[in-house]
Amino acid sequence: MPEVDVTNAEQVENCRKMLIRAYETEFQATETWGLEVTKTLFLLNAAGLTGVFALVTTGSILRSELPFMLFALGIALAVISMALGRYMHSFAATGWLDSIEKFDVAPKVSLLTLPNLKTVNLLQVLSMICAYVSGAVCIWAGLKLYLHF
């Protein structure tokens, strides 16, 4: 973005409101991410692991044939995804807050973008990879369990 001053008082106020909305959205997303998306992945993998433990107690199936580690890996990846998602939104919210503070001092068009976008994007990609792999591992473990019977 170009280093252009925003001089019109109405434009300054509108731009500031946009920055505040972006900050509030990221702050809300920080809370929602961990509570919704990853919770589901965690619960699915935990349910699978619980089922595996229940099958072991019957004694009719060899422990080595059950996908303990797959479900445990799915749980670990879900937790990692949750942490990365939380940090991603936290970094974005901090970036927007920093932009608001700088915009209040010197209203420039270049401050209407997220200053730490590369870090936020990297965390988003890593979080999504962990989430997808967690879901895939859960499906793989469930399929392995299903095919066993």
Side-chain angles (χ1 to χ4, degrees):
M1 284 247 171
E3 281 294 325
V4 178
D5 289 338
V6 180
T7 54
N8 180 320
E10 185 179 340
Q11 287 178 332
V12 168
E13 186 57 31
N14 287 338
C15 289
R16 188 172 194 295
K17 285 178 183 176
M18 279 182 4
L19 287 170
I20 290 171
R21 267 184 269 141
Y23 167 74
E24 289 171 346
T25 299
E26 287 301 333
F27 186 78
Q28 180 61 37
T30 301
E31 301 303 318
T32 304
W33 175 263
L35 294 175
E36 298 304 324
V37 175
T38 314
K39 176 177 65 174
T40 303
L41 290 170
F42 180 88
L43 289 174
L44 286 172
N45 281 289
L49 192 59
T50 302
V52 167
F53 282 126
L55 288 171
V56 167
T57 60
T58 64
S60 62
I61 299 169
L62 295 174
R63 292 179 85 166
S64 62
E65 296 177 3
L66 296 173
F68 283 107
M69 293 308 291
L70 290 176
F71 284 121
L73 176 63
I75 290 170
L77 287 169
V79 170
I80 292 168
S81 176
M82 179 180 67
L84 289 171
R86 175 112 169 76
Y87 285 123
M88 172 193 63
H89 291 299
S90 179
F91 273 97
T94 300
W96 286 122
L97 194 56
D98 185 47
S99 288
I100 292 168
E101 290 169 357
K102 288 179 181 176
F103 189 83
D104 285 344
V105 173
K108 296 190 181 299
V109 172
S110 63
L111 294 173
L112 299 178
T113 61
L114 192 58
N116 55 355
L117 184 62
K118 286 183 182 179
T119 303
V120 170
N121 284 343
L122 176 64
L123 289 170
Q124 180 182 22
V125 167
L126 292 174
S127 177
M128 294 306 295
I129 288 170
C130 287
Y132 283 124
V133 173
S134 175
V137 166
C138 182
I139 291 169
W140 182 25
L143 184 61
K144 190 174 178 181
L145 199 57
Y146 175 78
L147 291 176
H148 183 71
F149 295 102

